[in-house]
Amino acid sequence: MIPRSRATGRAVAYQVFYRLPLPLRRRLVRLAVPKYIVGAVTLVRDTEAEGAGRLLLLRQPPGHSWTLPAGLLQRGESPVVGAARELHEETGIRLAPARLRPAVPNAVVHAKGWVDCVFEVEVPASTTELTVDGAEVYEAAWHPLDDLPRLSWPTARLLAYYGIGPLVGQFPPPVPDAER
């Protein structure tokens, strides 16, 4: 329980805050609230794969490990539009944002100040042409889920949230408030 004098102080602070002009309130909130970098990630699965399935991965500079199609959102861009844009830029796969489904969990908040909005889609690998630029992405390839190549640490950790890869079970997804 909050002591009455502290509760009264908070009430006065809120009354003062809400009497301020809206632009000033927004500026104060921006100064006080943590800042996050927001990215969009797409898990692209092969609809034709047998067994455990296959996942599209990218080898990007410096080229020592594999990652997922992903990138930062542009200012004012919705996460699903950003995911579709990045997927096209990095792999040549052009899909309407409506084809991408929110993964569960859809957003993964990382301790270092960034948030990944994750989407899923399935495409047939045999008829999906992959195009990389050789600068941002060296190579794009389909990999069996039960035999993944060396993954970057952030990729391995993110995939663990979806039950994929070498770190499954080491980084369980956060428990939603309703299940606590």
Side-chain angles (χ1 to χ4, degrees):
M1 184 167 173
I2 299 173
R4 184 165 177 81
S5 62
R6 188 168 161 207
T8 304
R10 284 186 60 203
V12 169
Y14 276 110
Q15 287 175 4
V16 170
F17 176 79
Y18 283 109
R19 287 188 179 140
L20 296 172
L22 182 59
L24 181 57
R25 289 195 323 244
R26 285 186 178 153
R27 182 171 287 236
L28 289 171
V29 168
R30 284 190 189 118
L31 289 172
V33 173
K35 312 290 187 284
Y36 289 94
I37 296 169
V38 181
V41 180
T42 306
L43 303 174
V44 184
R45 296 175 191 261
D46 176 10
T47 58
E48 303 167 327
E50 295 179 12
R54 294 194 311 169
L55 187 66
L56 179 63
L57 295 172
L58 311 177
R59 195 170 57 83
Q60 297 178 288
H64 304 298
S65 56
W66 291 79
T67 64
L68 294 163
L72 298 178
L73 296 182
Q74 297 173 354
R75 186 175 299 279
E77 184 176 46
S78 76
V80 70
V81 170
R85 176 184 52 77
E86 286 291 338
L87 181 62
H88 179 255
E89 288 175 5
E90 294 183 345
T91 69
I93 299 173
R94 183 183 300 272
L95 298 174
R99 289 262 326 261
L100 305 180
R101 292 181 322 279
V104 177
N106 181 231
V108 177
V109 180
H110 303 278
K112 298 291 182 182
W114 86 89
V115 176
D116 283 324
C117 296
V118 185
F119 297 89
E120 296 179 303
V121 69
E122 290 87 23
V123 297
S126 66
T127 58
T128 301
E129 184 178 340
L130 301 176
T131 307
V132 298
D133 64 9
E136 181 183 3
V137 178
Y138 293 152
E139 183 180 1
W142 298 97
H143 294 275
L145 290 174
D146 56 2
D147 189 26
L148 293 173
R150 179 180 173 192
L151 301 171
S152 71
W153 172 252
T155 298
R157 187 169 179 165
L158 182 72
L159 285 174
Y161 281 88
Y162 303 96
I164 302 169
L167 300 181
V168 170
Q170 295 182 35
F171 297 100
V175 178
D177 289 336
E179 296 179 16
R180 288 187 184 163

